[in-house]
Amino acid sequence: MQWPIGAGGELNVPLAVPYLDQPPTPLHFYRDWVCPNRPCIIRHALQHWPALQKWSLPYLRAAAGSTEVSVAVTPDGYADAVRGDRFVMPAERRLPLSCVLDVLEGRAQHPGVLYVQKQCSNLPTELPQLLSDLEPHVPWASEALGKMPDAVNFWLGEAAAVTSLHKDHYENLYCVVSGEKHFLLHPPSDRPFIPYEMYTPATYQLTEAGSFKMVDEEAMEKAKVPETCLLTIRVLQAHGLPSKDLVTPPDCYVTLWLPTASSQRLQTRTVNNSRNPIWNQSFRFRIHRQLKNVVQLQVFDQDLLTSDDPVLSVLYDVGTLRVGEFRHERFLGSPQGEEQQLEVEFRLQSVTDCAERLVSNGILVARELSRLHIRLEEAGDQKGSEGRVQLVVPGSCEGPQEASVGTASRFHCLACWEPELSIHLQDAPQEQLKVPLRALPSGQVVRLVFPTSQEPLMRVELKKEEGPKELAVRLGCGPCAEEHAFLSRRKQMVAKALKQALRLDGDLPEDEVPVVAVMATGGGIRAMTSLYGQLAGLRELGLLDCVSYVTGASGSTWALANLYEDPEWSQKDLAGPTELLKTQVTKSKLGVLAPSQLRRYRQELAERARLGHPACFTNLWALINEALLHDEPHDHKLSDQRAALGRGQNPLPIYCALNTKGRNLTTFEFGEWCEFSPYEVGFPKYGAFIPSELFGSEFFMGRLIKQLPESRICFLEGIWSNLYAANLQDSLYWASEPSQFWDRWAQDQASLDKEQVPLLKIEEPPTVAGRIAEFFTDLLTRRPLPQATHNFLRGLHFHKDYFQHPHFSSWKATKLDGLPNQLTPAEPHLCLLDVGYFINTSCPPLLRPTRDVDLILSLDYNLHGAFQLQLLGRFCQEQGIPFPPISPSPEEQRRPRECHLFLDPDRPEAPAVLHFPLVNDSFREHSAPGVRRTAEEKEAGEVNLSSSNSPYHYSKVTYSQEDMDKLLHLTHYNICNNQEQLLVALREAVQRRRQRKQRGPSDGGTLAGGSSP
């Protein structure tokens, strides 16, 4: 901090700002510094603040990563700066704090320079989670000035963020918590020499293309609009609609579906016998402008005998409308050379009587809920009444409910939709009672009688109240706080292990400890057995304690689930668990379908259905699979594995599955990565996670509606290895060349970012060929045994900018990503299956930039080629995810080695991959590293790994003792025989961390707090 040399030098103004070694007394502060208007730097003034020790980027991510903050965005970092003849202020965006941290750490890209600099006490208003880390005021300053601070502000930025020359009207106290901040101070005597002019005020505006434009403030004021608006859609008329009937003109109507504003599909009247129908009907929706509001208009030809025929479908992004705008749209289509046209008018008006609090991570949005309690009591002398009624609140989580006298019901619905409760007798549907929820006073009991047209049968008690405010779904794109804490504990153990393994001279500080992960593929019993052998090899080399994460898919998850039942498993000899594994794999499996077992399966499935779990075949497979792997049922649960992580004594396990659609799409066309850990279950694509013990419970709009008991881990193993939810098209993938499917998949991805709104879709009149094609598409994509789990994303809406969000962009790889109304939050259930139907890997959780993995030990158990990792490399290339190119030479493909290293020197953010395919190379001739086999031992080195007749085919559930020993010894040997390659990779990982530390995350960046008394 310094004074510029100017007139102040001639007035004996010191060139350096003086330092105080301790806080002054209130009297000295006011007398010596405030009154003379002199700056000073005070050392040791706030060392008692916990923030000085706690505030780091990982801590902020864990404490407040999902919280939205106001962010100033400029093209060059200069906020409130003169540009030409304009005084330009920054664009302002609302972003989750985790997104800002990702950009500052170089893990994500965002146009321009970001700076959290919102004034007006943004710390308590936007980040109240951090208030406990500091005092609400500085006592000696507050006493000197005679008042508490007018504002307590929080700044977070990088070196490029610069605040232009200005004068503050406050006495400012500024605390630099981390990084550095440069101040240039002018004394009052310099005022005559500072140029002063009047400039037209303007503001930067960030365009959808990521560029900046300057907009004059007057124009900006006109553009400021309320967030809640009234949308009016007037369906006018259509021209040239084709007839689906053979003789008569069409009988057409239009449906409107806007799921962010209403749960119901609205419909015009039907205009009979007209190719040019005129409806001229208006529909009104209350919308929130922070949401992605996409309305679907569909024209149907009514048919009295069969289902109505679709004629025309239009998707229209309401976000293209401005408040106060009236827009007339003509949607054109000309199939078969005939022009078709649908005319619709849109009008957007401001609404001032509705304010709604949203919670968002920039991808998903949670809205406020209302809860309605209903109790039915006997009315008068109507004793023993058996009248049953149906209760309906459109758009509610619970859906229609049946009730009778003496029962209580409840509904959860969006508060802003203001639906109505409908009650009707089941025996007399004409007897109805409709109650608008907006007419009910909040928190008060309202009593009505029902029915009203005859002798009342019951009294209806209604009570409306606010729904749960706190989210049970964590909306955030980084790891949870528990994982951050675990990683800090684990790094202490990793540092000790690396020091010993690499023979380092000194201890590694935490920021030099690399993150090493083991990634295991699927492969049934083969994968489970091989993983045991390789983990035993890593432990023998003293390298298992260098690993922070271990991920599994399909069969390898069975091994991890077994091992993590023991909280100290990696600190013990694995000989005992391996012997137990041999017993289970070599035993006869005929008893799994014995009558006694089938009765047990039936009882447990019936109990799950009673508790509220959806019934599906996967649950039966889970119980059968448990019987294949264990003698008795195991009561272990996923959340129980936290005991194995409490001291950082084991790596953190992460299990993988894919979420897909029940019909109409293959897994290649729609597959979303879902990850399970002892802490959380969630979707990185959506940045949405729940505690693992709540997986399977019922959620709505991010809130926990009904908590079900946590499932035993066998039911999760059934999901992770679920081969039975595949459709015929998925099965054909396994029987043909995968690259053909990947070429088609890559072509589909190329069109994802090119979608235009409004999007027009014309339905062709059905032809014989079209009906046959539709039949076969349905046959190929229908899943005969779909998995079903309550969807914890259910009801959540999408942020208006979700498609451009950097985390969503990394994982958007389905045909529906540009269609928010059809994505997973719109589904009541998840449909989870084995990742092998897309890519046989468990690597995606390790590629999240927030996990910052340095080295991946890739354990591949495929029998159909040693480099299935190439598919993952291609996926990452298409998605823009940092990953080294997987380009083995022709010789390596013909005869793969036991270990291959893949790096990308041009992308230091990409992890190194040390790949261990399942091959039998030097093991044929060696019983141990450096020990050649004798003639009698030759047979033990022959391991059949062919794709056609191997005893380790995924369909084999029982191995012979000999085959079991061979596979365990082979996988153990392949690890131990490559000790030097492992050590080299670990040394390079440590060096990479040190280089990144020297470079720093962003030189000159600042993490600061301040107050303005």
Side-chain angles (χ1 to χ4, degrees), residues 26 54-55 86 154 242 258 289 298 323 461 620 735 762 809-810 903 977:
K54 295 170 66 175
W55 282 13
R86 297 290 192 272
F154 173 92
L258 182 54
R289 289 175 58 83
Q298 289 182 288
V323 173
E461 291 187 356
L620 175 59
I762 305 295
S809 297
S810 293
L903 299 166
N977 194 48

Side-chain angles (χ1 to χ4, degrees), residues 150-218:
D150 290 329
V152 181
N153 297 316
F154 173 92
W155 289 271
L156 174 65
E158 54 184 299
V162 178
T163 303
S164 299
L165 179 64
H166 64 281
K167 175 184 177 181
D168 274 347
H169 299 281
Y170 295 95
E171 303 293 348
N172 287 320
L173 298 175
Y174 195 97
C175 173
V176 178
V177 177
S178 177
E180 57 186 55
K181 179 76 172 181
H182 296 269
F183 288 89
L184 183 65
L185 303 179
H186 286 270
S189 54
D190 275 7
R191 171 64 188 86
F193 307 99
I194 297 175
Y196 182 87
E197 291 186 29
M198 297 296 293
Y199 295 91
T200 301
T203 303
Y204 283 118
Q205 194 172 81
L206 187 59
T207 68
E208 291 187 2
S211 60
F212 289 84
K213 64 178 181 179
M214 288 188 291
V215 180
D216 287 348
E217 189 175 274
E218 182 181 353

Side-chain angles (χ1 to χ4, degrees), residues 740-791:
Q740 298 176 6
F741 286 80
W742 276 88
D743 290 337
R744 179 179 174 185
W745 177 85
Q747 292 173 4
D748 289 340
Q749 303 318 297
S751 64
L752 280 179
D753 290 311
K754 299 176 182 177
E755 294 178 354
Q756 301 292 323
V757 288
L759 176 65
L760 182 64
K761 178 182 178 183
I762 305 295
E763 294 285 348
E764 296 279 356
T767 62
V768 174
R771 292 184 184 277
I772 293 175
E774 184 178 343
F775 169 79
F776 278 104
T777 298
D778 183 70
L779 179 66
L780 289 171
T781 59
R782 182 187 297 270
R783 301 183 189 274
L785 299 172
Q787 192 273 338
T789 300
H790 290 303
N791 181 10

Side-chain angles (χ1 to χ4, degrees), residues 25-84:
T25 65
L27 175 61
H28 288 164
F29 181 60
Y30 189 78
R31 182 190 63 197
D32 298 340
W33 307 103
V34 176
C35 287
N37 201 24
R38 295 175 60 204
C40 63
I41 300 175
I42 307 171
R43 295 188 174 117
H44 313 300
L46 304 174
Q47 283 188 324
H48 59 287
W49 281 10
L52 270 70
Q53 285 72 44
K54 295 170 66 175
W55 282 13
S56 62
L57 299 191
Y59 174 80
L60 293 181
R61 187 187 302 278
S66 61
T67 303
E68 278 200 351
V69 294
S70 298
V71 184
V73 188
T74 55
D76 53 6
Y78 282 82
D80 301 334
V82 174
R83 288 290 179 265

